[in-house]
Amino acid sequence: MSSPKLFAPGPIDVSPETYAAMSRTMIGHRGKDFEALYASLRPGLQEIVGTTRPVFLSTSSAWGVMEGALRNLVREKVLCLCCGAFSDKWFSVAKSLGYQADKVQVEWGQAIDPELVRAKLEEGGFDTVTFIHSETSTGVLNDLEGVAKVVKSFPDTLLIVDTVSSLSTVPVKFDELGIDVMIAGVQKALALPPGLAVFAVSEAAMARAAATSNRGYYFDFLEFAKNDEANNTPSTPAISTLFGLQYILSKIAEEGLENRFARHARTNAMIHAWGAKHGFEIFAQPGHQSQALTCFTTPEDFDLPGFIKALKEKHGFLINGGYGKIKGLTFRISNMGNETEATMQELIDAMDEVLAG
Ligand SMILES: Cc1ncc(COP(=O)(O)O)c(C=O)c1O
């Protein structure tokens, strides 16, 4: 049975070419072939992350490294910047690990105001901050530059940034902004099957990790750094996915990162225009809307389940009906990954046809 094409905000559609790249003959991870594969990924990953630091590969979903980053960095007290399902959950995860956790909470659909972050940090005692760049549940793109600037003005406070649904759709600039840990899963804009996360760690964060006990093994940043020096990973990685990543990075190099950002801006604008034409309001506050996905408010008289079902059954396209406490009240359409104006137009034509009845 063929599955619908995914226009949901992750996992997203994986191209046949990517699957083909992933189906190469298996290699062992403690040999020269693997070291060459690992080394070949570094420049492309460094470019999309905006760093000269290593970019580590974790065979886990993003949450593994999100939790791991807390275990490596938090001494006592963490501040979580909360504006949607994933950022709110990070606060619960921090508490579940036994840390003192506090939060800046804004209404879902709003972006984090850097000045709220400053006011909270001025209360003192926070050694770590968690922050989500693109809050996939609400479609908000937060002000990474503004928040990073504020956190950097508190010298002993480290900034962990989730770029799960923003990496490779907009610039991240890890080094320039002084981010301490940046994490993304490959099932979003990198258009790979789930199961792999990529992350970078600043020198300051590495020093903090070295001075932190109970880091565990699987997500120990020092293990990743030690193995990276030998072009390797601490434990057996998802090698097929790395073959796929090698292919995707070659496609990004071919397209050019700036062109990739521009393509995401254009395909995202097409969905905004489609929504405006039909009177669907964007859930995220103006000026802070993700370029990777769009979250629309569901009008009261709109049969959202019927719309999603017809789109899937008649046209073979899957969009997503909202997440967390706004499930049903919103719906989300992704333009991440390999989508072009032509493929987004196919979706738009299909959605128009369903709406026309
Ligand atoms: C912004 C954001 N953070 C974290 C996650 C969790 O990622 P994973 O399911 O790969 O652990 C997601 C998943 O959708 C996400 O969108």
Side-chain angles (χ1 to χ4, degrees):
M1 204 179 82
S2 84
S3 303
K5 178 174 175 180
L6 299 174
F7 284 96
I12 63 162
D13 186 57
V14 177
S15 73
E17 292 79 10
T18 305
Y19 284 128
M22 290 178 65
S23 68
R24 271 174 55 189
T25 307
M26 189 46 54
I27 56 174
H29 69 297
R30 298 294 182 219
K32 293 282 169 220
D33 285 351
F34 181 80
E35 289 168 19
L37 169 66
Y38 187 100
S40 76
L41 303 172
R42 191 177 286 120
L45 287 171
Q46 285 176 323
E47 193 195 354
I48 58 174
V49 172
T51 190
T52 55
R53 305 270 312 154
V55 180
F56 303 130
L57 304 167
S58 170
T59 295
S60 68
S61 81
W63 268 118
V65 188
M66 289 161 76
E67 177 173 325
L70 294 173
R71 296 188 58 159
N72 277 267
L73 300 195
V74 181
R75 285 194 185 124
E76 274 180 19
K77 198 169 169 194
V78 54
L79 176 64
C80 301
L81 309 183
C82 301
C83 62
F86 296 103
S87 45
D88 287 13
K89 187 162 175 178
W90 220 346
F91 173 69
S92 323
V93 170
K95 285 205 301 192
S96 79
L97 289 168
Y99 301 121
Q100 285 181 56
D102 203 344
K103 58 178 163 176
V104 166
Q105 179 82 59
V106 300
E107 236 180 87
W108 286 26
Q110 299 297 301
I112 302 286
D113 177 351
E115 287 314 309
L116 290 178
V117 181
R118 186 191 306 284
K120 195 73 191 174
L121 288 176
E122 275 169 357
E123 290 177 12
F126 296 103
D127 50 71
T128 309
V129 174
T130 68
F131 177 55
I132 292 192
H133 188 200
S134 165
E135 179 41 92
T136 321
S137 63
T138 62
V140 163
L141 183 70
N142 276 302
D143 176 3
L144 176 56
E145 209 161 325
V147 167
K149 212 179 229 173
V150 167
V151 177
K152 285 297 104 187
S153 66
F154 294 81
D156 295 325
T157 308
L158 299 180
L159 176 63
I160 310 173
V161 182
D162 163 331
T163 61
V164 167
S165 61
S166 63
L167 188 68
S168 90
T169 71
V170 287
V172 171
K173 301 183 189 161
F174 182 88
D175 289 350
E176 193 181 318
L177 299 183
I179 299 168
D180 291 297
V181 179
M182 189 239 70
I183 305 151
V186 299
Q187 77 277 19
K188 305 278 184 191
L190 293 177
L192 285 160
L196 181 74
V198 298
F199 68 106
V201 181
S202 72
E203 238 178 280
M206 206 50 97
R208 171 81 68 83
T212 305
S213 46
N214 301 323
R215 298 188 304 273
Y217 170 68
Y218 197 74
F219 295 109
D220 179 0
F221 287 177
L222 273 69
E223 286 289 339
F224 279 93
K226 187 177 80 188
N227 280 276
D228 177 78
E229 283 175 18
N231 289 322
N232 222 306
T233 52
S235 55
T236 315
I239 295 170
S240 301
T241 313
L242 299 188
F243 288 143
L245 180 59
Q246 189 181 46
Y247 171 74
I248 290 288
L249 292 173
S250 77
K251 298 305 287 179
I252 293 177
E254 214 173 88
E255 181 178 18
L257 198 50
E258 291 301 325
N259 292 335
R260 187 178 177 86
F261 298 153
R263 173 167 60 78
H264 280 82
R266 289 194 305 273
T267 51
N268 187 250
M270 287 171 75
I271 295 298
H272 284 207
W274 170 82
K277 186 173 113 190
H278 293 286
F280 295 122
E281 281 178 22
I282 296 173
F283 187 73
Q285 106 180 59
H288 291 279
Q289 293 162 348
S290 166
Q291 204 164 281
L293 71 133
T294 309
C295 181
F296 288 112
T297 303
T298 312
E300 253 175 42
D301 56 352
F302 182 58
D303 174 17
L304 179 62
F307 177 64
I308 292 175
K309 188 164 181 269
L311 194 60
K312 181 177 161 196
E313 289 178 359
K314 293 193 187 137
H315 299 276
F317 294 143
L318 191 74
I319 62 164
N320 198 295
Y323 189 83
K325 69 182 183 190
I326 51 173
K327 189 174 165 70
L329 303 176
T330 56
F331 61 101
R332 296 172 301 158
I333 301 171
S334 161
N335 58 285
M336 286 183 260
N338 306 315
E339 302 311 331
T340 61
E341 279 104 321
T343 62
M344 293 311 289
Q345 192 59 49
E346 284 170 14
L347 173 69
I348 287 170
D349 290 345
M351 293 193 297
D352 281 345
E353 214 175 299
V354 173
L355 288 177

